[in-house]
Structure formats: C-alpha cells, structure tokens
Amino acid sequence: QKEVEQNSGPLSVPEGAIASLNCTYSDRGSQSFFWYRQYSGKSPELIMFIYSNGDKEDGRFTAQLNKASQYVSLLIRDSQPSDSATYLCAAPPRGMNRDDKIIFGKGTRLHILP
Amino acid sequence: DTGVSQDPRHKITKRGQNVTFRCDPISEHNRLYWYRQTLGQGPEFLTYFQNEAQLEKSRLLSDRFSAERPKGSFSTLEIQRTEQGDSAMYLCASSGTSEQETQYFGPGTRLLVL
C-alpha cells in the first residue's frame, strides 16, 4: 500500500518569511511528485511537479526531492497572506497498470501571519 | 479555470434520494478520475476511466455508487439511496497518459445529505 505522509499543521509563518512544507512517501519506486494548493472550499490546483533529485524552482516556489531519504519538500519564499491554504503532496501513477493511481497526502494547512 | 467542468456545483438532497453528478474533462485527456474529499482530508480515490473503460474502482466504494463514461468524453457519477455519510466534495480530474501525467481538477460538486 503506497502512502504519502504530511504533517497536518497548521503551520504558521510570518509574512515575508520562508514556508517549508514536507512530505514523506513509502514507495521507493515513486519517480515523481506533485504539489497542489487548495484553498478552503475550492478544488486542488497544481503548483509544482518534480521528478529529478535536487531542486526545482518556479518563481517563489522551490520543490526539493530526495529519493534516497524518500522525502519531498516545498519551499515558499517571501510568503504572502494569499499563500495561506492547504498544500497537498501527491505521487502520480508510474504507468498504465491497473493498480496505478495518484496517491494524495492529507495536506498541510499553511497560515501566513500578516 | 483548468478546463475541467463539473455540474452541479452544489447539491442538497434528502437521505434515500438518488443523485447524479457530471464531469466534462479537458477534451484531449483520455483519463478521467473521481475523488471524494471530506474536511481535513486529502482527496480519496473512487474510480478512474481510460477512455470509456472503467479501469479501477476503489474497494471503499459501495454498490450504491456507479460511474459511467459512455463515449469516452464526459462522465457521470451516481449515488443511489444517499446516506448522511455521503456528504462530501466530489472532485473530478482528467489527465493524459504520458509517463509524467498531471491531473487537472474540476471545481467539484459539494453534496449535502440531510
């Protein structure tokens, strides 16, 4: 049973600081990961995708993947109040097998303090 | 707007009634997924389609739930004899079938069973 684990939070970060969100996974075969942002009452929206070890940067967001340690993280620089949301880590299917489906963590609630 | 639409956006029903939800995926996507999400939890996989074929159905899904995708385009999710525990957000997502596929979510249908 593949699992994706996240701390549910809430994680409170002062405005302008760096928010660090972490996710661990159980399936060593997982090759790639998504980070989704979900505002209260809304559906998830994709913000980052990473499949290589190391860092991937997109604007204020940096995703970090460490396959040896089986964790993936999301850093948000210069945090803004609009970043307050739940962040979901997800491991997508690895192929077209019947058992392959995206696995979501429960999400971490992030609260940016003005 | 991701290009995935769902209808209705909200549904209130009495226990025991049947409800049907519709999802229109991004037109070139051949995979379509249904999820259920309750407060404080990540999306819970229900079922998915590759074109018109239903490839997997979660064991958590009771026989009261059925989904169809008759022409490989839009999909419907029906819940028969609704129960209060069915109250949740029902999310639809679509993707292509490339190795690193991204799922794009619709706005969801919020169901409240009284």
Side-chain angles (χ1 to χ4, degrees), chain B residues 25-105:
Chain B
I26 294 170
S27 59
E28 59 267 27
H29 283 177
N30 47 16
R31 278 194 176 185
L32 185 151
Y33 301 78
W34 285 100
Y35 295 88
R36 176 173 61 193
Q37 188 176 25
T38 54
L39 199 62
Q41 301 294 314
E44 175 189 32
F45 171 81
L46 295 179
T47 189
Y48 90 94
F49 293 84
Q50 170 100 355
N51 300 313
E52 65 275 8
Q54 187 173 17
L55 295 190
E56 187 173 354
K57 184 176 176 179
S58 169
R59 288 185 221 105
L60 300 174
L61 218 56
S62 75
D63 292 340
R64 296 184 297 106
F65 288 72
S66 62
E68 294 183 343
R69 194 183 183 197
K71 297 181 180 178
S73 56
F74 73 91
S75 175
T76 57
L77 177 69
E78 181 182 16
I79 309 174
Q80 296 181 326
R81 304 182 303 281
T82 52
E83 301 173 356
Q84 288 184 322
D86 297 332
S87 296
M89 173 80 89
Y90 289 83
L91 294 165
C92 174
S94 71
S95 73
T97 52
S98 62
E99 186 67 24
Q100 313 290 352
E101 58 190 66
T102 298
Q103 292 189 9
Y104 294 91
F105 283 86

